[in-house]
């Protein structure tokens, strides 16, 4: 049901936004921000509407001709009054970023044409184009045909952007999120909001804004501007929150400078405390030849690591550069992989599913886990600490402050340990997880997505894993969530004992965060393997060749009238499935003439929901094969989607396979291929007959591959 907002909804939202600063964040505001709020509140309501309408625009440059809103009395006169009182100014006040925002790339090139040649301009990025336009404007003024009268700059933009930053914690969020919330487009967490501030002090807030604001503008700085920013005095930060913005800016600035002034870039990168900045500084300084300084820094990191991720890099880099070790730790782990599996090549787009299907055929149970298992275990175990003891600053936040600041364990150590002590049996832990899931199902959070299958792998982990190992890993995540929130192994396998496996297909790399997570799991007490996959033609891999008949060609509104399926294992047919399906709509006459299937024939046939489970079971762990596979697969996937179920199988197309193995034929239609290869068809455009014919084509393609490999 569509929701409608009242005429001046945006003004209501803006006052709600301003009320936020009456609470714990009020002491963080600059004098400019406080002045803005005071001046705004002194305006009459019509002028407030104009200011808020402008504030809702993405950029500080606005076109006043677009502000003739019906709910505002005499809007153009209101704007004139606001210009006189200093709320709006002309384009001389516009920043490079705002000019880029209000003009499209084509519009900039068109304006540049008035100054002369446009040759080569289309190859430039938008920021570089805007810089060229600004240079021309400085020399020659704005083009005569460009109407300066319509464009204004919001002179309150700096104060507004600062307030938005304090409220949202970033420089990208805008006021339209309030209306998206009210329309139901954006879900928020008002139940977890407390009267807490994003920063500890006014000084830290201003420092964080210094870095966040400049970070947002880096793309629009030329070399001179970048060097100018690098010379600025960088304000100190005291809190973890402000340090995040500092390190984000310093790393990005260093990478920009690296393109043309490596020495200055290294000086800047050395100031940052983030793992990736330290790693970049060490690598580039080593390349520059200062190996003694790098060695000293590496030894300091190894003796006093700030994170597991940085420690893993430092130990590996130190061993290779100073002990002449020839390979990296991640390479060693891959080379010493404890398992190697031969998996059917049809699984090369979904390798983890292929491995799980392989295990299932061996009678071994497995689950796709990756990060979701551990993040959901962490979130459900510590839901009270994360969303009740800790709070969100605003309802638009997703991550609690303790996770953003990576100090969750420090902040809630007593509560965490009390909880883990109380959950002293598998039964109690399982009960706690289910209780939290039941109480909070569907609530927005930054850790995991809710689904009906969320608890199954968690139950398996608790049932078959060791409780001390589970608690060890939860403590590790609590102490350093930032560096242990991802990189976990792909699957969990129960083969007498529980183990985790990171799956690597040919050409896949083991990333450092994966190495760290694997090592931490092993330290916690879990068995972990790196499993490499070799692509083969596995004779045990089932293939289900499918054909459907439909009421028409578009799966958005047409429906299936018949399905036929043939299951092959090792090139031999082991099962068939066929049924008519009532599409619950009229079958067009031309379709009946083509297929022979009429409304009368399907009147008493089952509807798709009646046979969905049969289709799902028949194709389980199989490769979905069809002639022009996307047609058949798309219809079946859409039918499952109508039932709010996901249908996903690896696909193979007999058209593509026949083109690959028998190139040069005049036609690859099913009818022409069956005639060319003398394949018997009982009735073309009936599902089972066509499925059998396509199955014969698949066998021919496989036989051709076998001939080529011998």
């Amino acid at each position: 049901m569509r929701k409608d907002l009242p005429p001046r909804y945006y003004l209501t939202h803006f006052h709600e936004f301003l009320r936020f600063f009456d609470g714990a964040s009020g002491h963080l505001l600059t004098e400019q921000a406080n002045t803005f709020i005071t001046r705004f509140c002194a305006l009459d309501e019509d002028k407030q509407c104009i200011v808020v309408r402008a504030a809702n625009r993405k950029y500080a440059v606005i076109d006043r001709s677009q502000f003739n809103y019906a709910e505002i009395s005499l809007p153009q006169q209101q704007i004139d009054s606001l210009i006189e009182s200093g709320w709006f100014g002309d384009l001389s006040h516009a920043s490079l970023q705002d000019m880029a925002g209000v003009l499209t790339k084509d519009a900039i090139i068109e304006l540049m044409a008035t100054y002369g040649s446009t040759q080569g301009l289309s190859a430039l990025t938008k920021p570089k184009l805007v810089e060229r336009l600004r240079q021309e404007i400085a020399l020659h003024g704005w083009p005569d045909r460009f109407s300066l009268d319509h464009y204004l700059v919001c002179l309150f933009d700096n104060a507004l952007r600062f307030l938005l930053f304090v409220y949202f914690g970033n420089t990208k969020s805008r006021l339209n999120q309030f209306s998206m919330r009210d329309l139901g487009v954006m879900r928020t967490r008002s139940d977890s909001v407390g009267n807490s501030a994003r920063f500890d002090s006014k000084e830290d807030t201003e420092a964080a804004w210094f870095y966040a604001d400049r970070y947002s503008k880096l793309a629009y700085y030329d070399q001179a501007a970048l060097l100018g920013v690098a010379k600025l005095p960088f304000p100190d930060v005291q809190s973890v929150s402000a340090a995040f913005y500092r390190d984000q800016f310093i790393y990005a600035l260093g990478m920009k400078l690296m393109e043309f002034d490596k020495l200055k870039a290294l000086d800047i990168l050395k100031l940052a405390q983030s793992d990736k900045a330290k790693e970049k500084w060490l690598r580039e300084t080593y390349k520059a030849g200062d190996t003694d300084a790098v060695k000293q820094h590496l030894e300091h990191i190894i003796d006093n690591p700030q994170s597991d991720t940085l420690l893993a890099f430092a130990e590996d880099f130190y061993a290779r550069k100073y002990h002449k070790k020839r390979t990296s730790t991640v390479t060693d782990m891959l080379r010493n992989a404890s398992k190697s599996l031969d998996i059917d090549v049809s699984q090369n787009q979904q390798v983890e599913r292929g491995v799980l299907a392989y295990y299932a055929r061996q009678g071994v149970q497995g689950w796709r886990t990756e990060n979701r298992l551990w993040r959901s275990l962490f979130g459900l175990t510590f839901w009270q600490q994360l969303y009740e003891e800790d709070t969100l600053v605003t309802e638009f936040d997703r991550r609690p402050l303790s996770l953003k600041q990576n100090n969750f364990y420090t902040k809630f150590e007593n509560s965490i340990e009390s909880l883990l002590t109380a959950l002293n049996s598998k039964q109690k832990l399982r009960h706690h997880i289910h209780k939290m899931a039941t109480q909070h199902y569907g609530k927005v959070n930054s850790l995991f997505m809710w689904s009906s299958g969320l608890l199954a792998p968690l139950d398996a982990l608790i049932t078959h894993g060791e409780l001390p190992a589970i608690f060890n890993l939860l403590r590790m995540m609590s102490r350093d969530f930032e560096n242990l929130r991802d990189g976990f192994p792909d699957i969990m396998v129960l083969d007498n004992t529980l183990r985790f496996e990171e799956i690597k297909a040919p050409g896949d790399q083991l990333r450092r965060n994966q190495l760290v997570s694997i090592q931490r799991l092993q330290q916690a007490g879990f068995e972990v393997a790196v499993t490499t996959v070799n692509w083969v033609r596995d004779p045990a891999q089932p293939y289900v060749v499918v054909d459907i008949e439909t009421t028409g060609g578009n799966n958005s509104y047409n429906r299936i009238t018949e399905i036929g399926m043939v299951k092959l294992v090792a090139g031999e047919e082991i099962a068939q499935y066929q049924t008519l399906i009532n599409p619950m709509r009229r079958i067009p006459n031309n379709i009946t003439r083509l297929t022979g299937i009429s409304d009368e024939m399907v009147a008493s046939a089952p509807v798709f929901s009646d046979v969905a489970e049969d289709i799902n079971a028949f194709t389980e762990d199989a490769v979905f094969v069809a002639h022009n596979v996307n047609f058949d697969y798309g219809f079946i996937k859409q039918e499952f989607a109508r039932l709010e179920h996901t249908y996903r199988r690896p696909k193979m197309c007999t058209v593509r396979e026949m083109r690959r193995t028998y190139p040069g034929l005049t036609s690859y239609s099913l009818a022409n291929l069956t005639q060319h290869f003398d394949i018997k068809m009982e009735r073309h455009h009936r599902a089972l007959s066509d499925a059998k014919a396509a199955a014969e084509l698949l066998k021919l393609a496989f036989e051709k591959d076998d001939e080529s490999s011998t």
Side-chain angles (χ1 to χ4, degrees), residues 616-666:
N616 188 62
F618 195 88
T619 60
E620 184 71 28
D621 296 330
V623 180
F624 187 108
V625 185
H627 206 69
N628 291 315
V629 67
N630 287 334
F631 176 85
D632 304 79
Y633 186 83
F635 262 92
I636 291 176
K637 184 178 180 180
Q638 180 74 314
E639 290 283 8
F640 275 97
R642 290 188 181 102
L643 301 175
E644 298 185 354
H645 290 295
T646 300
Y647 184 84
R648 185 179 295 115
R649 302 288 187 270
K651 296 182 295 182
M652 182 174 285
C653 181
T654 48
V655 175
R656 187 182 66 81
E657 292 302 306
M658 292 303 288
R659 287 185 186 277
R660 180 179 62 83
T661 53
Y662 292 91
L665 300 181
T666 55

Side-chain angles (χ1 to χ4, degrees), residues 373-617:
L373 173 76
W374 297 105
R375 288 168 68 110
S376 59
L377 176 68
F378 180 82
L380 290 172
T381 302
F382 299 124
W383 189 279
Q384 179 178 339
Q385 288 77 13
L386 290 166
Y387 294 105
E388 295 174 19
E389 295 179 22
D390 200 1
T391 57
L392 304 177
V393 178
T394 77
E395 62 183 291
F396 297 98
D397 284 335
R398 291 292 187 269
R399 295 178 68 190
L401 274 177
S402 58
L403 295 189
K404 286 187 176 182
Q405 297 172 350
N406 204 30
N407 60 357
F408 178 65
Y409 190 82
T410 302
K411 198 170 182 179
F412 299 107
E413 179 180 356
N414 292 336
S415 180
I416 290 169
E417 291 300 336
S418 295
L419 176 63
L420 296 181
T421 299
L423 302 177
N424 58 5
S425 71
K426 291 185 176 185
Q427 182 180 0
K428 289 180 180 178
L429 176 59
R430 186 186 301 107
H431 176 75
H432 176 74
I433 294 295
H434 280 253
K435 180 181 177 182
M436 292 298 103
T438 301
Q439 288 182 353
H440 305 293
Y441 188 87
K443 290 183 179 178
V444 176
N445 70 89
S446 64
L447 295 169
F448 59 89
M449 297 290 289
W450 297 98
S451 75
S452 58
L454 182 71
L455 294 177
L458 289 172
D459 285 344
L461 172 66
I462 295 169
T463 300
H464 303 289
E466 296 296 328
L467 201 59
I470 295 172
F471 286 177
N472 286 342
L473 204 283
L474 284 172
R475 284 190 178 93
M476 290 178 184
M477 293 181 72
S478 298
R479 290 189 173 103
D480 189 12
F481 183 81
E482 183 65 27
N483 291 295
L484 203 57
R485 61 179 177 170
D486 55 21
F488 288 104
D490 297 304
I491 64 173
M492 180 173 68
V493 179
L494 180 60
D495 189 3
N496 296 322
T497 59
L498 195 74
R499 70 172 181 271
F500 292 91
E501 293 187 18
E502 177 64 32
I503 310 300
K504 291 299 176 187
D508 284 353
Q509 300 296 314
L510 188 67
R511 301 189 302 274
R512 186 171 295 113
N513 67 326
Q514 293 174 327
L515 171 67
V516 169
S517 296
I518 289 171
Q519 290 175 334
R520 296 301 164 263
L521 278 170
Q522 291 171 333
Q523 289 174 9
F526 291 101
E527 180 184 346
V528 187
V530 177
T531 300
T532 57
V533 165
N534 305 308
W535 297 127
V536 298
R537 183 74 71 189
D538 182 2
Q541 171 65 53
Y543 290 77
V544 173
V545 187
V546 182
D547 187 81
I548 61 171
E549 303 302 331
T550 68
T551 60
N554 190 316
N555 63 37
S556 296
Y557 49 88
N558 286 298
R559 305 295 291 271
I560 297 173
T561 59
E562 186 180 33
I563 182 168
M565 300 186 287
V566 176
K567 183 177 290 188
L568 303 177
V569 176
E572 298 295 326
E573 181 182 314
I574 64 167
Q576 292 183 9
Y577 179 92
Q578 182 275 335
T579 184
L580 289 168
I581 296 175
N582 186 339
M584 297 186 291
R585 66 190 57 198
R586 190 183 67 82
I587 300 174
N589 291 333
N590 63 313
I591 298 295
T592 297
R593 287 193 295 271
L594 180 69
T595 66
I597 301 173
S598 65
D599 291 327
E600 293 74 21
M601 289 174 62
V602 299
S604 59
V607 296
F608 188 87
S609 60
D610 294 334
V611 298
E613 185 52 42
D614 294 339
I615 294 169
N616 188 62

Side-chain angles (χ1 to χ4, degrees), residues 353-381:
R353 288 175 61 89
V355 171
L356 288 173
Y358 171 88
Y359 280 138
R361 293 194 293 274
Q362 314 303 314
V364 175
Q365 195 172 8
W367 298 264
R368 180 80 178 269
T369 51
E370 290 187 291
N371 303 320
R372 188 183 185 205
L373 173 76
W374 297 105
R375 288 168 68 110
S376 59
L377 176 68
F378 180 82
L380 290 172
T381 302

